[in-house]
Structures are given as C-alpha cells and as structure tokens.
Amino acid sequence: MSELLKVEHLTKIFTSGFIGGFEIRAVDDVSFTIKKGEIVSLVGESGSGKTTIGKLILRLIQPTSGRILFEGKDILQMSKKELRENYYRQVQAVFQDPFASFNPLHPVDRAFDLISESYLTDVSRDERKELVRDALRQIGLNPDEVLGKFPHQLSGGQLQRILIARALLLKPKLLIADEIVSMLDASTRIDVLNLLGDFRDKYGTSVLFVTHDLALGYYISDTTIIMYRGTIVEMGDTEKVFQNPLHPYTRMLLESVPDLNVKWEFKGIEPEKEEGTVYSLQGCRYAPRCPRATRLCFVRRPELIEFEKNHWVACHFYY
Amino acid sequence: MAMLTVEDLKIYYSTPLGHVKAVDGVSFEVKEGEVFGIAGESGCGKSTLVHSLILRKPPMVHMGGRALFKGKDLMTLSPEESKKIRYTELSIIPQYAMNALNPTKKIKDIVWDLAKEHGYTDREEVEKLLRERLSMVKLSPKVADMYPVELSGGMRQRATMVVSTLLNPDLLIADEVTSALDVTTQRVVIELLHHFMKEGIVKSIIFVTHDLALLDKIADRVMILYAGKVVEIGSTEEVINNPAHPYTRLLINSLPRMGVQYKKQKLKGIPGYPISLLNPPKGCRFYTRCPYALDKCPSEEPKLVKVGNEHYAACHLLGGESQ
Ligand SMILES: Nc1ncnc2c1ncn2[C@@H]1O[C@H](COP(=O)(O)OP(=O)(O)OP(=O)(O)O)[C@@H](O)[C@H]1O
Ligand SMILES: Nc1ncnc2c1ncn2[C@@H]1O[C@H](COP(=O)(O)OP(=O)(O)OP(=O)(O)O)[C@@H](O)[C@H]1O
Ligand code: SF4
Ligand SMILES: [Mg+2]
Ligand SMILES: [Mg+2]
C-alpha cells in the first residue's frame, strides 16, 4: 500500500485570552502516515487533540509548525483555488457535532446541493437527486423522511448520518470521520461501520476514524493511534496494539472499557490536579498519572520507538 | 415515591404532511432516588420525550397524556412557571450540549446569568462552586474563564453538564451526555452523577443513551423505545440479561464485543429501515423488521404485558393481546 497522507512534526498551540492568557499545546510534534485504502483509528482522552488534527488536515486552522503531505504535496503550500478544486474533492470530513455542521436556516438538502453543484457538475440534476437518495438509503435513512427537513426537525443520529452520506457522495480518497457514530444505537452503528468498510473495499477510500469506543476501533481499523494530551503514545497494527498494549496509558484505557455485566465499583471523585503543569511538562505527559513513572519520565520526553515490527511506543520503560 | 409520573403521553410534530408521532402513548414512572435509563434506536423519540417535559414549542404539540412532576402536571405549566423550576427543580443536559452554550460568553458569565435569574446574589460564591464542580469532572478551573469554542467536544459536554447541575435540580435529565467521551472520562461523568445522587444534590436522574453497557452500570431501571412506543421496561438487570422483546434482543446482540474484527467476522445490524412516524402501522411498529412477526402483528397493537418482576414488554409472542 502506498502513502496517501503524511503528517510530519505537526504542532498546534492555542492561546487563550489576550492579556495574561495561557497556551494550550493541543497537538505537540505528531507524525504519522495513512496509506491508501487504510482505516486508521485515532483514540484518546477528551481534549487530547483529535479534532484539532482533523481540522489541521482539512486546513480549517493553521498549524504552529510541521507539515502535512497529501500524495506527496504539502497542503500548506496549496492555493485557495487548488484546495477547492482539487483537495476538498478528495478529502472530506464529518465533524463531531452534527448540530453545528448545518445551517439552521436551510433544509438539510442544501448540504448536498452545495457539494454537488461544486463537484458533480457533469452529472444531470435528476441523476444527482438519485445519487443523494441512494447515499441516504445506504446509510439506513429513508430519503422521504429526511429530505426537505430543517436540521432542528431531525434527531442527532439522523443528522450524523446525513453528513456521512454527503461526505461519501464524492467518493473521496480520504475521509476524516470525527466521532461519527457517537449518537447512533448499537445496530445502526454496526451498519455505518460496515458501510465504511465496504466503501474502502470498493473505492479504496482511506479513513481517519476518530473514536472513543475502543471496540469499534478494533472492529474496523487496520492501524490504531493512541494519543495523550497532544502526543502520540502508541501506534501500529491494530491487532498488536490491542493484543499487546505497551504504553501504560493504553493498558489503562483497555482495562476501563465498560462491559455488560461487569459491575463498577464507585470510587468517588478526586478533583483534577492543575492541568497547566502537565502542558508545560518537560517529560512524558503521562508521568503524573503513570504507575510506572521514574524520575527520568518527568524530565525527558520519551520518543516513539518501533518496539516490534509496525508497533510503536513512546515510553521510557521500553528503551 | 414517584418523582415523575408520565401517563399515556403523546407528543407529535405538526408538519405540512401531517403529524410526526414521535412520542405516542408513553407511560412510565421515575422514582425518587432512582436512575432511570432510556434507550432505543436513533430517531425513536427519546429527545422529543425528554424535551417535552421542559419546553414545548411549535411544531411540537402535546396531543394527550400527563406528566406529573412533584404533583404538578408539566404539560399545563405556563412558560413562566416552567422557567422558574428549570435548573432548580428540573434540569436537562441537552443532546446538543456541545453547542448549547452561548459562544460569545465565557463559561463563568453564562453561569452567573443563570444564577442571577434564579435569585442568587453572591457572584463569588457561585464562581467558587463552578470551579469546584469543574474540577470534579476533570476540567481545569481555568475553563471558567474560557469560551465554549475554545473547548473540545467532550470538554464542552462536561462544561454543559456542570452548568445544568449547578443549581442542584431534583430531577436531572441527561440526554446522551457521554456520547463524545472516552472511556475514562465517561467514568468520571458517571462517578459524578453517582456522587450527586449519593449526596442528595440530585434526587433522580433520567439517563438517555445509546450505550447499553453504560446503562448497565448506572441505571436502576430502563425503558426501551421503538418508533415512539415503549417496547420494554424493567429493572436494568432483567432487561439486559433477559430481554423479552425481539427488538431489545436484536439490539443487545448487535453490541460489538471486544475482539471482533470487520476483516474476519462481519457483524450485522438489524435489517430493514425504521418506519415512518407520519404513518405508523396500526399494529406493532416493529413488525416490518421483526424476524418472528405473526399474522396479527401488522394490524393489532400489542399491549405491555408482565414478563417478570416489574418487567413488562409489548409483543404478541408474549401474549400481548389487545383488549
Ligand atoms: N479554538 C481553540 N482555542 C483555544 N483552545 C482550543 C481551541 N480548540 C481546541 N482547543 C484546545 O485544544 C485541546 C484539544 O482539543 P481537541 O478539540 O482537539 O480535543 P479532542 O481530542 O477532539 O477532544 P474530544 O474527544 O473531547 O472531542 C483542548 O485542550 C482544547 O481546549
Ligand atoms: N421539529 C420537528 N419536526 C418534524 N419531525 C421532527 C422534528 N423534530 C424531530 N422530528 C422527528 O421526530 C423523531 C424523533 O426525534 P428525536 O430527536 O426525539 O429522536 P431520538 O430518539 O432522540 O434520536 P437520536 O438517538 O438520534 O438522538 C425523528 O424521526 C425526527 O426526525
Ligand atoms: S408483536 Fe409481532 S412484530 Fe412486534 S415484536 Fe412481537 S412478534 Fe415481532
Ligand atoms: Mg473532538
Ligand atoms: Mg436524541
């Protein structure tokens, strides 16, 4: 499989507030690649930088530093025209919050019109209509139930699926899918995942599948990337990461998956320790929570190393 | 004692094509001290049901039934009365929590506006409480000084949760509050809800979610909806371990278990499409997708029947004769 997208030393620092503001290192020196036809899941705690990575790849925000190469071309060097005419035709995204992705003043059909007017110019109107209806049916929606409706007239899961249908309409080379099944019931979820898999098999679409649900990531993805506070702590072949998790954070994540019939013991809440210190930490971001941390962990950032073939980890324990 | 008693509630949307029967004769009770779970297919009416308890605005119409909350019928409250009890007695964390917060205001200002409206006068006190609660959901107290756009999806979800619970409502409705959270943060949120209940800060919770594994952890009882109707209701343990309705069974079967891969074993969802709520079938609303459907299923509506201790389901296979 050849490389489709290559992210190199990507960093994004946000500043909050003007005077006396503070910096948030949302993405901190992140590198990874997505091959053609590969489904990569991106997993990590809330606030770890997953959506930010998606937005950077779509050039909705500018990185502080680093490069993003799509088929070998640096997307940061692309002109507006090139982005519009070429890049966005091949790279589509569905973002986390379906309610915010629609214009509340227009029926949801408009989302399809905009995209087909710009990109499906060689297709006749009637054909376009049929394409849209097909796309909706594929994703388990009844076109008559959703077309012509305004966003507030649809449920969260219905909106989420309309966005997926729209993104797939162009048969993109890369789909950024940010928590796209979070508002769907178990049965619909499986249908949508199977659709992504089928789509990949048929059209070779690569997918960056952002998810908090480890079982779903395991089900659908070839490669898994685990993030913690802006950094990649572990990545590689999905089976290896799940069967032989190396990083203490990954292990903790896998142990906390809620399973039916396993009762939880309520431990009570411990208020969060000051976060700022973690973001400015010299060493491993996970050190303050890590049961294995040594002195070294607090002062030196561990690099990602290839522990076994196609399985990388950033933890001093494995040097 | 019942905190909320819903009786034969009908909430429709009026559209040019007719009524969308999103909640169609739903009855249940939420007891004091209990966490009541609601699950069901996407689009089956969960959000409609819980929102109708707080605020009904067109095209949402109340077509019948009652919702008694602490003795008052929520369906007959005036907008002023509803506003008064909102946040202090009855509060909702909406599903679109991610953009429910005013984007032009800092979290602390949003909270202060709200507290002021309900008669609070000491701003410092309110902010102190806000920072305390933020840290309980593993958010930095600095979040109080940030704008909603500066927060990630899951951070916003938690911030909204803090805002909605700050004035200690008796009944808290949480609509998909954990949907965008990773497993560890989900756990933090569930711990917090548990803490609220234990300390009596919140007396009852309605927890709407797609995540049955999570309901299993927190809910005392659950109700499964399908296309605007209750198909099953009972104690969480009973419903999850011993599901009676075909829909519930199929739903539980489609939960992905850790260790299954698309490449090796393709899982299947429930075949078929949800029915149209504009023209629902006269009989069982699940018959079009039900593998066990009987001759009478399309035309006769099954009633809820007792299938176990405080466990009810509506299906002809279980003897749900119409009276
Ligand atoms: N526009 C912004 N201004 C300031 N800070 C921001 C902005 N957008 C994101 N951040 C910060 O960047 C960090 C990463 O956010 P991001 O949205 O990428 O997280 P995420 O991994 O997608 O989390 P979630 O799972 O909760 O959606 C967070 O600490 C967030 O507060
Ligand atoms: N304003 C409206 N006008 C017409 N139909 C509506 C309106 N709002 C919602 N609906 C329809 O009512 C049904 C129930 O919607 P609701 O939002 O209650 O579903 P839900 O169970 O919360 O779904 P989800 O799990 O996807 O959030 C859906 O079929 C939806 O399309
Ligand atoms: S009533 Fe009939 S169609 Fe409905 S769930 Fe039972 S068997 Fe299936
Ligand atoms: Mg996100
Ligand atoms: Mg909903």
Side-chain angles (χ1 to χ4, degrees), chain B residues 133-139 158-159 161-162 185 188-189 192:
Chain B
R133 292 274 175 91
L134 285 171
S135 64
M136 283 179 171
V137 284
K138 298 265 185 285
L139 286 174
R158 282 175 283 159
M161 168 165 171
V162 166
T185 316
V188 168
V189 165
L192 183 74

Side-chain angles (χ1 to χ4, degrees), chain A residues 153-259:
Chain A
Q153 299 179 316
L154 294 165
S155 77
Q158 287 168 332
L159 289 176
Q160 233 171 13
R161 278 176 288 165
I162 291 176
L163 290 171
I164 302 170
R166 180 185 70 168
L168 294 180
L169 200 62
L170 295 181
K171 308 200 171 62
K173 286 188 181 158
L174 175 63
L175 174 72
I176 314 271
D178 192 356
E179 296 284 4
I180 58 168
V181 291
S182 61
M183 289 186 195
L184 302 176
D185 57 278
S187 147
T188 315
R189 234 174 232 185
I190 287 299
D191 290 339
V192 169
L193 289 189
N194 286 340
L195 177 77
L196 285 187
D198 289 348
F199 216 82
R200 186 271 308 272
D201 297 346
K202 231 194 259 162
Y203 304 107
T205 298
S206 308
V207 184
L208 182 63
F209 184 70
V210 178
T211 184
H212 67 267
D213 191 325
L214 292 158
L216 298 185
Y218 185 71
Y219 178 66
I220 197 70
S221 67
D222 310 301
T223 296
T224 298
I225 300 177
I226 312 274
M227 285 192 70
Y228 187 76
R229 310 246 163 144
T231 60
I232 295 181
V233 295
E234 181 159 358
M235 78 179 169
D237 196 68
T238 294
E239 244 157 305
K240 287 181 181 152
V241 172
F242 278 78
Q243 303 299 340
N244 182 22
L246 299 170
H247 199 280
Y249 176 65
T250 316
R251 293 188 176 187
M252 191 275 294
L253 265 186
L254 285 168
E255 278 161 18
S256 31
V257 174
D259 212 343

Side-chain angles (χ1 to χ4, degrees), chain A residues 51 96 178, chain B residues 152-153:
Chain A
T51 300
Q96 203 168 3
D178 192 356
Chain B
S152 78

Side-chain angles (χ1 to χ4, degrees), chain A residues 16 46 137 145 161 182-183 185 187 194 197-198 201 212 219 239 259 261-263 267-268 270 272, chain B residues 42 135 138 150 158 179 181-182 191 210 216-217 241 259-262 264 266-267 270 273 276:
Chain A
S16 178
S46 170
R137 274 190 288 261
E145 283 281 290
R161 278 176 288 165
S182 61
M183 289 186 195
D185 57 278
S187 147
N194 286 340
D198 289 348
D201 297 346
H212 67 267
Y219 178 66
E239 244 157 305
D259 212 343
N261 297 319
V262 181
K263 282 288 167 232
K267 296 192 199 114
E270 24 165 328
E272 181 68 344
Chain B
S42 169
S135 64
K138 298 265 185 285
E150 297 179 323
R158 282 175 283 159
S179 65
L181 298 177
D182 60 283
E191 290 268 0
H210 284 304
D216 188 43
K217 303 292 167 284
N241 295 318
V260 185
Q261 278 191 302
Y262 172 84
K264 297 180 184 143
K266 227 161 131 170
L267 295 171
I270 304 171
Y273 295 100
S276 163

